[in-house]
Amino acid sequence: MTQTIKLAIIVPCYNYGDYVGEAIASVTSQLRDDCELIVIDDGSTDGSWGVISDAGVRAVRMSNGGAIGACVAGLDLTTAPHVLFLDADDKLKPGALDAILSRLDPEVAKLQFALTRIDARGEWISGAVPALDDYREREALADRVAKTGVYRSPPTSGNVFRRDVADLIREIDYERSVDGVLLYAAPFTGDVVSVSEELGCYRVHGRNVANTVHKSDAVGIRNNVERFIKRMEHLKVVARRLGWEGDLFDPHDVFVTRERKFYLDVVSGRRPSLSCLVSLLVRLTDERLKAKNKLGLATLFVLAAVLPNGRATMLIKYRSHINGRSAAGFFRKVVATTAVF
């Protein structure tokens, strides 16, 4: 009897010939009868298609249209009720599929797992950023998203979506990110399962543009704010459509937006007002962060508000780049920027 397909792994690839073979092998080495794999070459020009063809897996080559278009093509060519979009420069660890499948059921709208950070050569950089907790939640997480618009979630390759949630990418016309609204819509339609175990690897290299939390220049931050607000407006539409009747956040007033606007003031050469600083600190108290992380952010905000602009911008840039960032590094940066203040 044919095994029921439970999970689709879709690998969109654009000019990642150096990595896509490893991504594919990380799946095929543990592929189960209840999983389906498809690779979508998004018009690569670097030899990726040759690597994909040599792997001997189900694959399609299409004209370049961006990651969302490639993922939609993958959705149209698969049938499983849950979907993992595995970036072509990332990979799964041995045993990941067993761990994922053992936790999936029809009520799971999203499963997330931690990703080890590796460099271009596959060498270890650090544990997961962000680190994840183990839980299974729905209402409590939906309440949190309704209040703040966000919750802690890994990069794309660390998320498995139920197909109805994954299908929301068909509505995205305001950004290139595949999983933006999907991450936050999930708790409005089902359970979110979080796994602290690092079941995959997120590759940090010069060509993956998503290796920063915020761009540290004024144009980048402004675009980031505009994109986030559009994503949150989309989320509000989705939540209402899914039957959410409670209050929903104002995307202009949540912590993430206020934080980025604060950074925008600093890097644009404007000193943030006292009211702006106070309101940001108040929003920070509601964030689900460890006390030491809240203290670090509060210190950053206060110093950025009072230091000369050049030194304040240095702190913002350190905060903006997660690669190589650490508590000790932040302390050294604080000392360096305040030593002659």
Side-chain angles (χ1 to χ4, degrees):
M1 184 173 66
T2 303
Q3 177 76 49
T4 300
I5 299 297
K6 298 178 180 178
L7 176 67
I9 302 100
I10 299 170
V11 183
C13 177
Y14 176 69
N15 285 352
Y16 274 164
D18 291 339
Y19 312 120
V20 66
E22 192 173 353
I24 294 171
S26 78
V27 178
T28 57
S29 63
Q30 57 183 305
L31 199 61
R32 301 166 30 145
D33 290 340
D34 53 358
C35 297
E36 56 184 334
L37 167 66
I38 188 166
V39 183
I40 309 294
D41 187 295
D42 186 30
S44 296
T45 59
D46 70 339
S48 291
W49 181 244
V51 176
I52 295 168
S53 299
D54 289 343
V57 297
R58 187 184 180 202
V60 172
R61 193 178 194 187
M62 56 186 289
S63 299
N64 179 249
I68 290 179
C71 288
V72 168
L75 287 173
D76 289 340
L77 293 168
T78 56
T79 61
H82 284 89
V83 179
L84 167 62
F85 298 115
L86 178 64
D87 284 343
D89 55 339
D90 296 338
K91 62 181 181 177
L92 298 179
K93 291 186 177 183
L97 291 183
D98 287 345
I100 290 168
L101 268 295
S102 69
R103 293 172 168 89
L104 291 181
D105 61 60
E107 295 300 313
V108 176
K110 179 195 154 185
L111 180 147
Q112 62 180 32
F113 53 89
L115 298 173
T116 302
R117 296 164 73 240
I118 60 174
D119 64 16
R121 297 174 299 176
E123 300 294 327
W124 184 89
I125 295 177
S126 76
V129 178
L132 301 178
D133 297 323
D134 292 300
Y135 62 79
R136 180 166 180 158
E137 294 183 5
R138 182 184 297 197
E139 288 83 2
L141 200 58
D143 286 339
R144 174 158 184 77
V145 174
K147 181 178 181 180
T148 68
V150 297
Y151 64 94
R152 182 173 294 187
S153 191
T156 304
S157 297
N159 297 282
V160 174
F161 300 102
R162 200 172 58 204
R163 183 167 288 269
D164 60 310
V165 180
D167 277 335
L168 290 173
I169 65 172
R170 301 176 190 273
E171 302 177 9
I172 299 174
D173 60 3
Y174 48 85
E175 65 174 334
R176 294 180 296 176
S177 298
V178 170
D179 54 4
V181 74
L182 278 60
L183 301 175
Y184 309 114
F188 293 104
T189 187
D191 294 347
V192 173
V193 175
S194 182
V195 181
S196 62
E197 183 181 358
E198 296 174 10
L199 300 178
C201 296
Y202 172 71
R203 196 182 302 269
V204 178
H205 57 94
R207 292 166 54 210
N208 57 340
V209 296
N211 61 2
T212 59
V213 176
H214 317 286
K215 298 295 183 182
S216 54
D217 60 279
V219 173
I221 296 175
R222 187 176 295 108
N223 290 341
N224 192 291
V225 170
E226 292 174 355
R227 184 170 61 251
F228 177 78
I229 289 174
K230 289 178 180 178
R231 180 187 295 175
M232 292 299 102
E233 293 291 0
H234 184 194
L235 176 59
K236 291 174 71 173
V237 171
V238 171
R240 292 301 189 205
R241 191 169 69 214
L242 292 171
W244 183 261
E245 297 179 351
D247 293 334
L248 284 167
F249 55 86
D250 176 355
H252 296 271
D253 194 42
V254 295
F255 172 75
V256 174
T257 306
R258 284 186 173 273
E259 180 188 21
R260 293 172 185 177
K261 287 182 176 179
F262 178 88
Y263 294 157
L264 181 59
D265 279 345
V266 173
V267 303
S268 298
R270 300 186 295 269
R271 187 175 296 279
S273 66
L274 178 59
S275 61
C276 176
L277 174 62
V278 171
S279 63
L280 181 57
L281 292 173
V282 170
R283 291 291 184 280
L284 176 61
T285 62
D286 290 331
E287 291 299 296
R288 188 180 293 181
L289 297 171
K290 294 180 179 179
K292 66 177 183 179
N293 298 118
K294 287 187 177 182
L295 178 60
L297 281 173
T299 301
L300 168 64
F301 299 153
V302 171
L303 288 176
V306 300
L307 284 172
N309 183 259
R311 298 191 180 100
T313 299
M314 287 174 60
L315 287 178
I316 298 302
K317 288 186 175 182
Y318 187 81
R319 158 66 175 158
S320 299
H321 295 273
I322 65 173
N323 301 328
R325 194 182 70 196
S326 66
F330 175 68
F331 177 76
R332 289 193 295 270
K333 183 66 68 174
V334 168
V335 171
T337 55
T338 60
V340 293
F341 177 56

